[in-house]
Amino acid sequence: MHKLLIISFLCLPLLSQAQQLSGRVQASEKGATVPLPGASVYWSGGLKATAADSAGRFSIDTTGRTNQLVISYVGYQPDTLRITDYAAALTVTLKATQQLREVVVTAGNTQIDRMNPIQTEVLTQRTLAKAACCNLSESFETNASVSVSYADAVTGAKQIQFLGLGGQYVQTNVENIPTIRGLATTFGLNYIPGTWITSIDIGKGAGSVVNGYESMSGQMNVELQKPEYRGETKRPNMLLNGYVNAFGRVEGNVNYSQALSDKWSIGALGHVSALQSELDQNGDKFRDLPLYTQYNGVMRAKYSSERWMSQFGVKALSEDRDGGQLSSVGQYRYGFTNHTRRTEVFSKTARLFPDQPYRGLGLILNATWHNQESTFGLRPYTGKQQSIYGNLIYQTIIGNTNHTVKTGVSYLLDDYRERYVAQPIDRFESVPGAFFEYAYTYPERFALVLGNRLDAHNLYGLQWTPRLHLKYHIHGQLTLRASAGRGWRVPNQIAENYGYLVSSRGVFLNQNVQPEIAWTYTAGVTNEFLLFGKKATLVVDASRTNFQNQLVVDADQPRSLLFYNLSGTSFATSFQAELTVSPFKRAEVKAAYRFFDAKQSMGAPLGESVLMPRMMVSRDRMLLNAAYALPYDKWKFDATLQWNGPKRLPDADESHTHSTYSSMVWYYSPSFVNLNAQITRSFRTWQVYLGGENLTNYRQPTPIIGAADPFGTGFDAAGQNWGPVTGAMIYAGFRFTLEP
């Protein structure tokens, strides 16, 4: 899917030869023909090959060595044609295999991108609809690879963990534009409403060099609803969504698109949400969730002609948060406030080549203004970020479509102006870069992608980013993938550790921050097979990230928060096995186990280098998901059970402040289980749903240390926050769709 999105946007081409054979690949569904984009077309023996475009069209160079043309598409019976008239335009209709018909009925929620040499999971709209999915942070409820938790017990900031590392090591893009980075790292997951999302691609390991250098443990790309026109008439396309939960949170969303002409269409995405009810389930006189209001919108337009395609628009967000002690505490309550105003303007332009549909030139531009003001009790924080991003991409082939090349130049500018209490943290970064990526594909069998990029950072000099990705189709439905690559990034001390500021700790910022540099190696196997006569998919993968340099965030001293550069070793090892089975029609069961071993050397300020487990990372996690749908999806049922293993906690005993790291006692949280479930009823244009989260009603008994004296020396709302702060929550909502 990810590859198809790239092709549809950049329209990558095939260089014309002296004689070509053209045609269209399609399938028959419900009495109508539909194109098969990405269908493989090649001469017998793999002499020359190509792939169908988004309309199913293809054009392939002829060869004098054979006249047998093979057309194949995953889930359809391949066809071999003996070509006698090379001038005639072909129309090839493939028949669906019986096995794929079973997949469409019983599964289709989370998929592995079969075309991509990078181990990539694709979360579809069907997956997102299995939970409340009010924003991106709540989109991974049924996913075993990504885990989400609150960063602390006051601010409501969400953080993800992936391959044993924090979310800052995942390059998170929105429509291939780096988005959740910089100051948006803190609350950025809350800024993308779930109903705006059409799909999420989750790639494990270092990503493509085309998208930048910041990908370390993974790369995530979120696709939003487009202003594309569908249907014979010019009536609008619209989705309305409403949501309410037992804690008092309410949300409303609208997606709207309208065709203005054959070439122009416009779209709008709107979101408003609020929580204005105080909740204190553990009786510590602190709000379990902050009060907030958020207004969020996107306006965009699209132009499409035979030779040009362009999208451009603006995003705007306003959010206010108010947490801390209950209002009943009075005038001298410990309060947390945050006010964020964020604006983005973006454009995407592609030059199309109708006669050469696999040649492409694309330009992505984006500018961001992010302003943020916060208070943590009596401590103020202000942050401003201005960023400019540009990426010019060109793709062509070498000889034939077995050999493709992507190359281009990029530019990233970040201007940070931050201040915490009396400490300024200003940084100006200017990073021009160039990249080159070569891909070799042997259809249906082997793919290799070799990428390199060079970036000239104004503060840290020339940086080299090599990446290698391999995919080998062993036999049947058994596929092996492997990758290796280098990634680097400049950390943001406050934004990435925002929750730690809700404490009385002394904050000692690093005034000599160095880039974080890591090598990541991944390998995975995907196998589709029959288990007791039913379709099953097994995915097993492992990864290792080794840091050459890292910003160490040290909260092991109870009264201090220290930032210093790594002196010693830091690594993260992960292993995951996931089995998905369709035991009977319209049912799917998924079981997954994940293992992390993440450690880093601590104690550099005291002249030590002690290898310790990373805090707040569960070594073990298990997930069980079951889904069932009645015919035509009239009723859908979904339930997810998660077991979360123990996590290492910082030492909260103030008497240990001056102890050495080698003599520290390691403390661990208990394990816990939570259950989420949802029921959906579908009508012709309506869907209504009812669900619950944390139905096991498990709550961490004391998420805030020193809650009775928040202005005292022992107050800490983040260092011991390892589990759910709130208990069981019930929600309900609706979706209304108006289509042409």
Side-chain angles (χ1 to χ4, degrees), residues 243-565:
Y243 167 93
V244 63
N245 71 23
F247 296 160
R249 176 178 168 184
V250 294
E251 295 202 1
N253 297 281
V254 59
N255 302 348
Y256 177 87
S257 62
Q258 172 74 62
L260 302 179
S261 67
D262 294 338
K263 295 182 178 180
W264 283 95
S265 58
I266 59 172
L269 304 174
H271 168 86
V272 59
S273 61
L275 172 63
Q276 295 299 316
S277 302
E278 291 189 315
L279 182 71
D280 181 19
Q281 294 185 334
N282 54 23
D284 61 4
K285 295 189 181 300
F286 269 77
R287 295 169 179 169
D288 294 339
L289 298 170
L291 311 185
Y292 82 97
T293 56
Q294 182 187 124
Y295 302 95
N296 199 347
V298 179
M299 289 290 295
R300 64 198 304 176
K302 180 179 179 181
Y303 172 81
S304 180
S305 69
E306 186 180 7
R307 296 186 179 277
W308 292 95
M309 182 181 296
S310 179
Q311 294 186 52
F312 53 90
V314 59
K315 303 178 183 178
L317 175 136
S318 173
E319 185 185 73
D320 298 308
R321 291 175 177 249
D322 188 344
Q325 287 183 301
L326 299 173
S327 56
S328 60
V329 172
Q331 179 181 358
Y332 299 104
R333 60 182 286 268
Y334 180 97
F336 157 75
T337 62
N338 180 73
H339 308 286
T340 299
R341 305 294 181 263
R342 181 179 175 90
T343 304
E344 296 180 59
V345 293
F346 63 92
S347 71
K348 295 182 176 182
T349 304
R351 173 67 167 91
L352 311 182
F353 299 86
D355 298 332
Q356 298 174 320
Y358 286 92
R359 180 183 171 198
L361 179 66
L363 175 64
I364 302 174
L365 297 172
N366 187 80
T368 303
W369 295 265
H370 183 110
N371 295 327
Q372 186 172 340
E373 295 182 359
S374 306
T375 58
F376 304 88
L378 302 177
R379 300 179 179 183
Y381 164 78
T382 59
K384 294 183 179 181
Q385 175 186 350
Q386 298 181 18
S387 296
I388 297 175
Y389 171 77
N391 201 13
L392 179 66
I393 309 167
Y394 175 73
Q395 177 165 331
T396 186
I397 63 171
I398 304 175
N400 59 50
T401 54
N402 289 22
H403 307 271
T404 61
V405 170
K406 295 179 187 178
T407 188
V409 293
S410 66
Y411 181 69
L412 178 63
L413 180 147
D414 286 322
D415 185 8
Y416 295 100
R417 295 289 182 265
E418 299 177 84
R419 179 175 293 272
Y420 176 66
V421 192
Q423 301 182 69
I425 325 164
D426 297 342
R427 192 172 76 249
F428 181 85
E429 300 183 50
S430 176
V431 194
F435 56 87
F436 181 89
E437 187 174 80
Y438 165 78
Y440 169 75
T441 303
Y442 186 86
E444 304 290 324
R445 179 63 67 179
F446 177 76
L448 175 149
V449 178
L450 181 62
N452 280 278
R453 68 174 295 136
L454 287 174
D455 295 277
H457 198 288
N458 64 311
L459 300 178
Y460 305 111
L462 196 65
Q463 297 286 339
W464 175 50
T465 307
R467 307 268 172 88
L468 172 67
H469 309 285
L470 297 169
K471 183 187 75 170
Y472 179 65
H473 183 70
I474 301 173
H475 65 80
Q477 300 296 322
L478 183 62
T479 303
L480 172 67
R481 289 177 174 85
S483 71
R486 182 183 190 263
W488 65 281
R489 60 184 295 275
V490 181
N492 293 278
Q493 299 177 78
I494 295 294
E496 295 163 17
N497 302 280
Y498 190 83
Y500 282 118
L501 303 184
V502 192
S503 69
S504 59
R505 295 173 179 267
V507 178
F508 299 91
L509 298 170
N510 187 341
Q511 300 300 327
N512 185 32
V513 171
Q514 297 298 308
E516 296 185 304
I517 301 172
W519 286 83
T520 300
Y521 312 90
T522 64
V525 176
T526 303
N527 190 23
E528 296 183 7
F529 58 99
L530 295 179
L531 181 64
F532 305 116
K534 303 298 182 181
K535 176 179 167 52
T537 302
L538 177 65
V539 181
V540 178
D541 57 65
S543 75
R544 171 80 173 202
T545 300
N546 291 325
F547 283 90
Q548 291 182 331
N549 186 52
Q550 187 179 28
L551 179 68
V552 177
V553 183
D554 189 344
D556 275 298
Q557 297 288 349
R559 292 186 179 179
S560 302
L561 179 65
L562 307 176
F563 296 90
Y564 49 87
N565 297 318

Side-chain angles (χ1 to χ4, degrees), residues 702-725:
T702 311
I704 300 177
I705 304 300
D709 184 16
F711 295 100
T713 58
F715 173 66
D716 189 355
Q720 299 292 315
N721 183 218
W722 49 262
V725 178

